[in-house]
């Protein structure tokens, strides 16, 4: 298994531009999580899906952020318009069920820089 | 609500030194407890877990015991190696939340091991 695959690995964009981050979870996993990691705030859960349905998006910072999971093998996190304070590493993770027995599998992350 | 508190870092040790990283938690239900490790430039990886009181999780020479009486899950290793240099995250998940369980992470602590 190739693990959780995120793309791109690095993204540099100008303020005001739209940014789309992509994630392919592990086949067979039915829960998917988007996290953001910064030095100041550590690891923050933005949103998670169970069976492609958003369960909790209370961590999404504001309306500029949106996430979709059109099918079991693909999810996107979109920021429009982007701002410098969105600069962070964004991680996608997936799990089977609630992940309590086997934990979550994380992707390698997308490092976003907004200038 | 659920929360995880980790000791302040960073921690710098010499190779073969003994390691303890403290973690305490607050949970409303019956949490499972986890330690994740993040190597430079990578996503988080599950290191070990414990699902009930007095359970001991172990992996790669690391151990942690679920102590309900002190609400703690301290990570220990008898002899650290340079390759153990990474960021370590303590996390919990409330099993009582069922399908909506999700992990709550601590802020993480950076461990650097000198040769």
């Amino acid at each position: 298994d190739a693990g959780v695959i995120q793309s791109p690995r690095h993204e540099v964009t100008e303020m005001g531009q739209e940014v789309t981050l992509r994630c392919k979870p592990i086949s067979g996993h039915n829960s998917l999580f988007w996290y953001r990691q910064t030095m100041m705030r550590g690891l923050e859960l933005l949103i998670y899906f169970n069976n492609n349905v958003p369960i909790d998006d209370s961590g999404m910072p504001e309306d500029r952020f949106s996430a979709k999971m059109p099918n079991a093998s693909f999810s996107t996190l979109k920021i429009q318009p982007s701002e410098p304070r969105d600069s962070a590493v964004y991680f996608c993770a997936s799990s089977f069920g609630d992940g309590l027995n086997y934990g979550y599998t994380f992707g390698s992350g997308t490092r976003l820089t907004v200038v | 609500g659920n929360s995880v508190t980790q000791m302040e870092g960073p921690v710098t040790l010499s190779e073969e030194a003994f390691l303890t990283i403290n973690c305490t938690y607050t949970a409303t239900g019956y949490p499972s407890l986890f330690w994740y490790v993040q190597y430079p430039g990578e996503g988080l990886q599950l290191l070990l877990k414990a699902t009930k009181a007095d359970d001991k999780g172990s992996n790669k020479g690391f151990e942690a015991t679920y102590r309900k009486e002190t609400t703690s899950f301290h990570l220990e290793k008898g002899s650290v190696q340079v390759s153990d240099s990474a960021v370590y995250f303590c996390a919990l998940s409330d099993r009582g939340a069922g399908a909506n369980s999700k992990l709550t992470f601590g802020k993480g602590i950076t461990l650097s091991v000198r040769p």
Side-chain angles (χ1 to χ4, degrees), chain A residues 37 45 48 100-101 104, chain B residues 36 38 49 93 100 102-103:
Chain A
Q37 186 179 37
L45 177 64
Y48 76 99
L100 298 184
N101 288 322
Y104 298 178
Chain B
Y36 279 79
Q38 183 181 26
K49 65 176 175 70
S93 184
N100 292 338
K102 59 184 186 293
L103 289 178

Side-chain angles (χ1 to χ4, degrees), chain A residues 9 33 35 37 41 43 45 48 50 55-56 91 98-104 106-108, chain B residues 32 34 36 38 41-44 46 49 51 89 93 95 98-103 105 107:
Chain A
R9 284 299 307 270
F33 307 83
Y35 285 87
Q37 186 179 37
R41 293 188 298 270
L43 202 60
L45 177 64
Y48 76 99
N50 185 258
I55 301 299
D56 184 353
F91 288 102
D98 57 19
L100 298 184
N101 288 322
Y102 301 104
Y104 298 178
F106 281 77
S108 297
Chain B
S32 292
F34 304 81
Y36 279 79
Q38 183 181 26
E42 299 182 12
L44 281 71
L46 178 63
K49 65 176 175 70
T51 57
F89 294 87
S93 184
R95 303 185 72 86
N100 292 338
S101 293
K102 59 184 186 293
L103 289 178
F105 285 91
K107 291 188 178 299

Side-chain angles (χ1 to χ4, degrees), chain A residues 5 7 11 20-21 30-31 37 39 56 61 63 67 72 79 81 84-85 89-90 94 107 110:
Chain A
I5 299 173
S7 63
E11 177 79 37
T20 300
L21 312 181
N30 59 351
S31 293
Q37 186 179 37
M39 290 291 291
D56 184 353
D63 292 345
I79 308 172
R85 60 193 168 120
V89 181
Y90 291 80
S94 70
T110 294

Side-chain angles (χ1 to χ4, degrees), chain B residues 21-115:
Chain B
I21 299 177
N22 290 343
C23 171
T24 57
Y25 67 89
T26 302
T28 54
Y30 306 94
S32 292
L33 301 173
F34 304 81
W35 277 100
Y36 279 79
V37 59
Q38 183 181 26
Y39 298 104
E42 299 182 12
L44 281 71
Q45 304 174 24
L46 178 63
L47 180 60
L48 54 83
K49 65 176 175 70
T51 57
K52 61 183 187 298
D54 300 326
D55 268 2
K56 177 185 285 188
S58 62
N59 186 26
K60 299 181 180 181
F62 291 90
E63 292 183 340
T65 301
Y66 188 146
R67 302 285 188 200
K68 189 175 181 180
E69 63 276 14
T70 54
T71 61
S72 65
F73 193 54
H74 305 322
L75 183 69
E76 297 182 336
K77 187 174 185 182
S79 176
V80 294
Q81 306 299 312
V82 172
S83 57
D84 295 326
S85 298
V87 182
Y88 292 82
F89 294 87
C90 185
L92 72 81
S93 184
D94 185 354
R95 303 185 72 86
N100 292 338
S101 293
K102 59 184 186 293
L103 289 178
T104 300
F105 285 91
K107 291 188 178 299
I109 184 170
T110 300
L111 169 66
S112 298
V113 181
R114 299 185 300 243

